[in-house]
Structures are given as structure tokens and as C-alpha cells.
Amino acid sequence: MPTVAQSIEADWVSRFADEVIAEAERRAPGKPVVCASGLSPSGPIHLGNLREVMTPHLVADEIRRRGHAVRHLISWDDYDRFRKVPAGVPGVDESWAEHIGRPLTAVPAPAGSPHPNWAEHFKAAMADALAELGVEYDGISQTEQYTSGVYRDQVLHAMKHRGDIDAILAQYRTKKAPPKKSQKPVDEAELEAAEGSGAAAEDDGATTAGYFPYKPYCGDCGKDLTTVTAYDDETTELTYTCSACGFGETVRLSEFHRGKLVWKVDWPMRWAYESVVFEPSGVDHSSPGSSFQVGGQIVGIFGGEQPIGPMYAFVGISGMAKMSSSRGGVPTPADALRIMEAPLLRWLYARRRPNQSFKIAFDQEIQRLYDEWDKLEAKVADGTALPADAAAHSRAARTAAGELPRTPRPLPYRTLASVVDVTAGAEDQTLRILSELDPANPIASLDEVRPRLDRAESWISTHVPADQRTLVRDEPDKELLGSLDEQGRESLRLLLDGLDTHWSLDGLTTLVYGVPKVQAGLEPDAKPTPELKVAQRTFFALLYRLLVSRDTGPRLPTLLLAVGADRVRRLLGA
């Protein structure tokens, strides 16, 4: 078991908060601490991108809990170019390819969307998920920043010092790329996440006419397939041509706001402009010679310093093959929040250090994750949780602003899933079964088990294949009943005789495990032997075949409660 010291060491959030507070005090004493994230709404913003937000959120929230002023900035990179048409997005077809090269805010939203453009459509879904997750942030639209002239001085400064920037970039252009040591995606579902926004691979501004760190959007076709051919530092006159439509013009950059700095210059410019102290980066920005490393040198040109910034690992997905989503690709935070409560999703990000990969379950594994979460809740409640585990739980269940919404009576997720599976979501039957789980303290309303019940129902309906759903037999399997030997018939008699006195979740658990013990001449509370476990599995398989025509199914005590005593008796041949 880890020592207390090891447990505290494992609390990565506190360690980063310590570093960030100290660094912020060194850089700008008395000013709010600035943490930052960047998201490109180039398509569905997936669960891998969420780590870009959750890592600084958790650190910023810890700083806020300690009483320090802190800002968590989320830069919406909505002035990035539209790079490709994502596969599987409803309301989008190949005709959207004509917009490749335009700013994301200049691309039409998917057909049927209430939002004014592509970027706003995908930003809205992420913003809703972040609100549910309790993430407090200041959103910054890069379209607004650039087109309103907020960055005018920074753009002119970059152009004036383009030779210095080019010299930094040249150190890496001439080097042979080192052997790749970057982390491989956890699974196939993460190939899209591994690609990131695509900004990391963007050109750095080098042209045959010289180096220019600024990229105009064409005044005719609106695309960024432009090449700067001349620039005058005194007048700020910039000449460009467009390879897409042939258009060209000369503009005065001090008055022109239809373009942006190339990514490897844009990112460090923002670090300096916003005084960012903490910002993580994905593996696509963290390899040698890439954006984060190069930015650490370029940021000095703008009078700033590179943020403290851990590389964060991939977030894997389990159960993707069985997803019934109409949208292809990696699932989004909204997809996860349909099947799990916000504290559980927060916990998955809080309990692992940024450089540790982990998986988010959309398959049966979600039941085990919920069991693990419930055990942690119990340990926190009785004071036996290790310090790091208790800290991760606290960060998941609440923020500096207060507790996140929670289910009043959090019954096991697997129990709720089994019940809604058998009842097909019928509320009257669901309430009947749940009220019988604990007769001494019955549930009086389904509101007591919401929103967890709703999440379990959504999981059953969207992520469990039809051939794995539980269908209770309408009529007894007379052929199977007639083929039973005396031991099989006796096992059913013992079960049926004990139904009335054991009709609760705990009682039925004792009963179904106890029948093979009694048949073996043991006491109902005897510890199982290997032989007894074989007999129990045989008995369980018989009950499943008689009740649901399969060898397996939901936990038998839950299934029996769901089927109801009268129907159980009929299907078991009473």
C-alpha cells in the first residue's frame, strides 16, 4: 500500500498549483494567475481535446480554492483555416470542401444548425458540456481578436522582427527530424485525436520571396492560399497573391485585419499578450522542433516567457465499435455526459497525471468504473481514503464555486442499467423494482435515483447492442424444464421456496448463492470451494436459460426482482 508521502506525491494538481503560484508571483506579483487552453472548433471537439481544458481547469480551480485570483482562458481558435471536411457529421456533405482554406467562422454551419457558422456550431456543444462539468473560464474568439485589430501591434512587431523569428525557425528546418518517440495512440478510435487540430503541421511562413510570419486571407475568395511577396517596414505595405483564384493586392498592414500570424508565431505571441503562466500541450505540439519548443524561444521576441506546460497523453476510448452514434469519429464530452454524471467524468481526468494515458468507457467497463467511484465515495465518507484519492474525489465532486449536482440515492450503476434493460425504461416497472431493492428503506420516487438512472438508461439504449439486451421469456421453456435431472429440479424448488422470505436485493443474493451450498450439505453462509463455484455457475446458467434464454445476463438478484415473483414462479415451472 502506498505511504502517505507517496499518496501526496501522486496529487499532481497540488504540485502544479504550487509551481504556478510561485512562478506567477515571480513574473507579475499581485496580479491574477493566468492558465490557458486552446480549442479549435474545426469539427466535433472530442474527449481527447477535453484534456486540454481539464488539466488547466483543475490547476486553476485548486489555485482559486487557495484564495488566489486566477483566470482560465480558453482561446477558441475559430480563425484557423478549415482544413478538411470531417467524416460522419450530420448535415454535411462533400460540397463543404469548397470552403477549405477559409476561416472556420466563414464556413457555413452544418445543414439544420441554429448557429451562424461552422465554428459557432461546434463551440456551442463544447460550451454546454463545460458548463455541465463546472468549468469556469473566459472564452476568447481569435476571429474577434484578429479582425477587430486587438493584435495589430503584435502583428506589426512580428513582421518587423521576422528575421529574428526566421533565424529561430531555421535552426529546426535544417535539422534532420529526430527518430519519433511520440506516444502512439491508445487505440484506433484515437487516430483522429492524435491528429489534433492540424495546426502543429501548418507551414511556418517561409516563402521564395523571404520569410513572412503573417498569412492574409484572400480579399476575393476568402481563402488562405496566399503568398506574401513583399513587405515595407516603414509604410507597412504588404503585397500578396492568391494561388486559389489568382487575386492579388497591396494593403497597409497597420489598417488590415483579414489575416493572422502563422501558428508557430501566433501561439507564443498570445502567451506574451495574455501573460500565460500555465498551459499544457498535446503530443502533436510537443515533439522536438515543434510548436511548444520553438514557441519557447519566439515568445522572448514579444517580451514574454514560456508557460509551465506539461505534455498531456492520449485519452483512449473503449466500446467504440458498439457505439450507435450517427456521427463518426471519436466521441465528444457531450456523448460521455449522456451516459455518466459530470463528477465521474471529471474524476477520470483528475486521478491521472497529465502524462498518463487512460480510457473512457462506453462499453461494459463503465459499470466497473462506477463501482470504483462508489467505493471511493464510501472511503471518503468514512475517512479511510488515501490523501491523493480523497483529493481526486474532491476535485471531481466539487469546484471552488461549490458542489456539482449529484444523485440523492446513488444506487449501483450496474443495478440501474439492469433494471432499465429488463423494463425497457418503463417508469412504473422501474419504480416497482427499485422500491423492492431495500424494503426497509424503499425508494418512493425515481427522482431519488436521478440523474444516474437517466445516464444508465441512455447507456443501455445507445451503447448495448440489440443482441445483448435482456428479453425475459413470455412462456416457460417446457423442453428444458422436462429435461432436468433430480438435482436440477431440486435447485429450482429450493429457490422458489425461499422467494417470499428473501424478496430484496440482499436477500435474493443470499438465496441464489446459497442454493448450491444447501444442495452440497453446507450452511448458506459457508465459504465457497472451487467445486462449489462450479456448481453455482451451473445453477446460474440454468436460471438464465429459463428466464432470458441465454447463459448470462444481468446479476441474478436484480433480474429476479425485475421479472417479479409471480412471473419467476411461472417461468421456473412452479
Side-chain angles (χ1 to χ4, degrees):
M1 179 177 290
T3 64
V4 171
Q6 287 172 324
S7 299
I8 294 172
E9 176 65 19
D11 182 16
W12 64 269
V13 179
S14 288
R15 292 204 318 279
F16 272 124
D18 292 341
E19 288 182 42
V20 172
I21 290 170
E23 183 67 9
E25 189 61 23
R26 182 187 69 79
R27 294 187 187 188
K31 295 203 175 168
V33 181
V34 180
C35 302
S37 306
L39 292 174
S40 178
S42 56
I45 300 173
H46 52 68
L47 287 161
N49 300 133
L50 183 58
R51 201 163 204 180
E52 169 78 24
V53 175
M54 290 305 299
T55 302
H57 161 69
L58 291 165
V59 173
D61 192 68
E62 172 63 21
I63 294 171
R64 195 174 286 120
R65 291 184 194 216
R66 298 183 189 182
H68 296 270
V70 61
R71 295 179 70 206
H72 179 190
L73 310 179
I74 293 184
S75 279
W76 297 105
D77 291 320
D78 51 14
Y79 208 44
D80 282 3
R81 74 191 305 268
F82 185 52
R83 290 181 173 81
K84 66 175 184 177
V85 182
V89 175
V92 176
D93 57 32
E94 63 276 4
S95 67
W96 261 260
E98 71 175 271
H99 301 291
I100 289 174
R102 294 187 176 124
L104 294 170
T105 40
V107 177
S113 169
H115 300 288
N117 58 59
W118 185 271
E120 292 301 317
H121 175 82
F122 292 107
K123 282 165 64 175
M126 187 63 169
D128 288 347
L130 293 179
E132 188 172 342
L133 285 164
V135 176
E136 181 181 328
Y137 67 93
D138 295 335
I140 300 174
S141 164
Q142 291 304 314
T143 296
E144 292 177 10
Q145 296 289 92
Y146 271 108
T147 59
S148 66
V150 168
Y151 295 147
R152 178 192 295 118
D153 291 345
Q154 284 68 32
V155 168
L156 294 175
H157 186 78
M159 290 294 278
K160 182 177 181 180
H161 293 274
R162 60 190 179 276
D164 299 324
I165 295 171
D166 188 33
I168 292 171
L169 294 173
Q171 298 172 32
Y172 300 95
R173 292 195 202 107
T174 56
K175 286 183 181 178
K176 186 177 178 182
K180 286 206 169 183
K181 293 182 181 178
S182 60
Q183 183 183 10
K184 291 183 179 178
V186 178
D187 54 31
E188 295 226 358
E190 281 305 289
L191 290 176
E192 182 180 331
E195 181 181 303
S197 68
E202 189 179 87
D203 72 69
D204 64 12
T207 74
T208 55
Y211 177 76
F212 303 103
Y214 183 79
K215 192 87 164 170
Y217 281 107
C218 177
D220 187 18
C221 69
K223 298 182 179 182
D224 73 339
L225 301 174
T226 57
T227 301
V228 176
T229 57
Y231 180 70
D232 185 286
D233 287 303
E234 294 300 320
T235 64
T236 75
E237 285 189 347
L238 178 148
T239 303
Y240 74 87
T241 58
C242 177
S243 62
C245 67
F247 180 79
E249 64 177 333
T250 298
V251 298
R252 196 177 291 273
L253 194 53
S254 57
E255 302 167 357
F256 179 83
H257 303 138
R258 197 181 60 248
K260 68 187 292 288
L261 294 171
V262 296
W263 170 249
K264 287 184 178 180
V265 181
D266 173 82
W267 198 13
M269 177 275 289
R270 286 193 248 159
W271 290 340
Y273 183 82
E274 303 288 0
S275 302
V276 177
V277 179
F278 181 79
E279 182 172 4
S281 58
V283 293
D284 57 334
H285 293 306
S286 298
S287 58
S290 67
S291 313
F292 194 81
Q293 182 178 18
V294 173
Q297 297 180 58
I298 294 176
V299 68
I301 292 172
F302 295 97
E305 295 183 64
Q306 187 175 37
I308 296 170
M311 183 199 80
Y312 57 84
F314 289 110
V315 175
I317 307 296
S318 64
M320 279 299 298
K322 297 173 184 175
M323 282 188 69
S324 58
S325 172
S326 59
R327 175 191 51 73
V330 183
T332 66
D335 292 324
L337 289 169
R338 289 186 191 100
I339 65 168
M340 64 182 73
E341 296 159 273
L344 181 75
L345 185 56
R346 288 175 61 91
W347 178 60
L348 297 179
Y349 289 85
R351 68 175 181 158
R352 295 280 183 262
R353 294 191 300 275
N355 64 353
Q356 291 179 309
S357 61
F358 65 90
K359 287 195 174 188
I360 295 177
F362 283 79
D363 55 10
Q364 299 282 343
E365 179 71 6
I366 191 174
Q367 300 183 352
R368 191 197 62 76
L369 283 175
Y370 253 105
D371 289 344
E372 199 177 339
W373 168 255
D374 288 344
K375 286 177 185 174
L376 175 59
E377 291 242 79
K379 287 182 177 181
V380 169
D382 66 20
T384 60
L386 292 170
D389 294 335
H393 175 272
S394 175
R395 303 188 202 293
R398 64 191 63 85
T399 69
E403 298 275 336
L404 270 72
R406 59 190 298 127
T407 300
R409 286 189 65 175
L411 296 178
Y413 189 92
R414 65 177 65 245
T415 298
L416 297 174
S418 295
V419 171
V420 296
D421 181 23
V422 174
T423 64
E427 294 205 350
D428 56 341
Q429 289 299 309
T430 299
L431 180 58
R432 172 189 68 78
I433 298 161
L434 296 182
S435 66
E436 293 176 338
L437 293 177
D438 182 5
N441 186 21
I443 287 170
S445 164
L446 293 182
D447 288 341
E448 296 178 46
V449 293
R450 287 191 163 116
R452 187 177 289 197
L453 173 67
D454 299 324
R455 302 298 186 272
E457 185 173 358
S458 179
W459 177 70
I460 286 288
S461 63
T462 59
H463 296 286
V464 178
D467 61 0
Q468 292 182 21
R469 297 290 299 272
T470 303
L471 296 175
V472 180
R473 291 182 61 90
D474 291 323
E475 297 295 332
D477 186 338
K478 293 181 179 178
E479 183 178 348
L480 178 54
L481 287 167
S483 69
L484 295 178
D485 57 18
E486 179 53 34
Q487 184 174 5
R489 290 194 294 272
E490 183 192 14
S491 67
L492 296 182
R493 280 198 301 272
L494 288 169
L495 179 78
L496 293 169
D497 288 346
L499 281 184
D500 288 339
T501 55
H502 291 80
W503 197 253
S504 70
L505 190 63
D506 289 343
L508 289 171
T509 300
T510 300
L511 180 62
V512 296
Y513 280 90
V515 165
K517 296 178 183 179
V518 172
Q519 284 190 286
L522 302 172
E523 292 298 320
D525 59 354
K527 291 187 177 179
T529 62
E531 295 79 15
L532 185 57
K533 287 182 179 180
V534 172
Q536 286 174 330
R537 284 197 292 270
T538 301
F539 176 52
F540 297 165
L542 172 61
L543 293 179
Y544 282 125
R545 287 198 297 272
L546 289 171
L547 295 172
V548 297
S549 302
R550 294 203 335 245
D551 289 335
T552 61
R555 291 187 69 243
L556 276 167
T558 307
L559 178 59
L560 293 170
L561 282 174
V563 174
D566 291 343
R567 194 173 178 188
V568 167
R569 289 189 176 92
R570 188 164 60 84
L571 292 176
L572 299 188

